[in-house]
Amino acid sequence: NDFLCSSDDDYRQNNGWKGTDLCHSVTSPVRISHYAIQYKDNGGVGTKLTGVAHFTPNAESHSGYCHGGSMTAAMDDVIGWTSFFVTGQCVPWSGFTAQVNVSLRRPIPVGSYLKIVGEITKTEGRKVWISSCLVCGNDDNEVYCTAEGLAILKK
């Protein structure tokens, strides 16, 4: 297992970005402070990224519950970051999320900390398919959100 901290706003500002990261900045509505990687056969299918997503009061939509867009943003983030590990090493911003199909299963109360997981399910050339979820509870039995995504690696 390797550990990845992806909340470096200084890196972004020093390398041409215009603002802070949507899901990793300390001011983000949904904040993913870090991910841990579990490689399967040095990258590729079965490689899994796991982190903790905090849904802050800034993610609120309906009274006491988070906006579905905050859940979708978290799914987009884990899909993109998981694809960066397809080669067996982390290559940040080596591709981009091209498609995210999200299923919102239950509302997330404001202030929740949930486990977020992305797993590579298929690769074909520069295309990387990822399955992801937001879960909690014993044995991750409380599923709040699932997604299937496609990321495209840069040439």
Side-chain angles (χ1 to χ4, degrees):
N1 284 356
D2 292 325
F3 179 80
L4 166 72
C5 183
S6 57
S7 59
D8 190 353
D9 285 337
D10 289 335
Y11 175 86
R12 295 174 63 82
Q13 291 173 357
N14 293 330
N15 288 281
W17 275 264
K18 304 296 182 207
T20 59
D21 190 276
L22 180 64
C23 294
H24 298 282
S25 175
V26 295
T27 59
S28 298
V30 55
R31 180 160 189 250
I32 303 166
S33 62
H34 65 279
Y35 285 119
I37 185 70
Q38 184 176 22
Y39 288 109
K40 179 74 173 189
D41 299 326
N42 201 30
V45 174
T47 295
K48 189 182 287 189
L49 199 63
T50 304
V52 176
H54 176 215
F55 289 83
T56 74
N58 292 332
E60 187 174 39
S61 177
H62 295 280
S63 181
Y65 293 100
C66 295
H67 193 284
S70 64
M71 298 162 76
T72 302
M75 294 290 93
D76 177 26
D77 189 78
V78 75
I79 287 166
W81 273 98
T82 303
S83 75
F84 299 161
F85 289 89
V86 70
T87 63
Q89 61 182 357
C90 180
V91 184
W93 301 282
S94 55
F96 52 90
T97 306
Q99 185 174 10
V100 180
N101 298 315
V102 179
S103 177
L104 306 175
R105 302 226 176 147
R106 63 173 53 176
I108 296 176
V110 168
S112 294
Y113 288 85
L114 300 177
K115 180 178 172 181
I116 187 168
V117 180
E119 182 173 352
I120 298 172
T121 58
K122 179 181 171 183
T123 63
E124 184 180 298
R126 297 181 326 158
K127 296 178 182 178
V128 183
W129 283 267
I130 294 107
S131 178
S132 61
C133 61
L134 281 166
V135 295
C136 78
N138 297 334
D139 301 318
D140 300 330
N141 61 349
E142 294 177 32
V143 179
Y144 287 82
C145 180
T146 60
E148 300 296 324
L150 171 65
I152 308 294
L153 302 177
K154 294 177 184 176
K155 290 183 181 179

